[in-house]
Amino acid sequence: MKVINYCDVAPTVFPAPARGTTGRVVLGKADGATNFCMRVIEFAPGGETSRHSHPWEHEQFVHEGTGQVLIEDRWFDVGPGSVLFIPSGVTHQIKNSGAVPLVIVCLVPPFAPELL
């Protein structure tokens, strides 16, 4: 069992070519979570990931802020309450298009790297 504030977990800076992006593993293997990993990804204003793909899916929930998400060749505007499903193998990218941090809760399966 674990109950924390996500800010109690130290952020890890995403390496280039990502910009202004950090992640926190809030529930993972170290907590005994065997079915998924929960991460909180934060994008500073203007922050973004690179375009990338990998062999696992993402389930994501936008907690705060506004941004844009590229899934395959289509951009989607997102904001608080938006829910995203990014299938395995699909090219994707996330950008903060707002003036405040974009905070996204992201779930990945147990075989995916917990953060980077």
Side-chain angles (χ1 to χ4, degrees):
M1 184 170 82
K2 181 177 182 179
V3 178
I4 63 166
N5 183 296
Y6 83 92
C7 292
D8 292 340
V9 176
T12 298
V13 175
F14 281 31
R19 294 183 299 126
T21 304
T22 62
R24 305 168 197 252
V25 175
V26 295
L27 292 172
K29 293 179 179 118
D31 303 303
T34 59
N35 296 308
F36 65 90
C37 174
M38 180 184 288
R39 312 172 306 177
V40 178
I41 312 299
E42 296 174 289
F43 300 82
E48 64 183 1
T49 64
S50 62
R51 288 186 186 199
H52 63 283
S53 66
H54 34 68
W56 58 84
E57 64 190 41
H58 291 292
E59 291 80 15
Q60 299 181 328
F61 175 80
V62 178
H63 176 66
E64 66 180 276
T66 57
Q68 295 180 309
V69 177
L70 174 73
I71 301 175
E72 291 187 324
D73 60 354
R74 184 172 171 201
W75 286 98
F76 298 87
D77 292 328
V78 297
S82 295
V83 175
L84 314 168
F85 174 65
I86 301 172
S88 169
V90 170
T91 299
H92 56 285
Q93 180 179 9
I94 300 172
K95 295 181 179 183
N96 182 343
S97 60
V100 301
L102 173 62
V103 180
I104 295 179
V105 177
C106 178
L107 301 177
V108 294
F111 63 85
E114 288 197 325
L115 198 53
L116 302 173

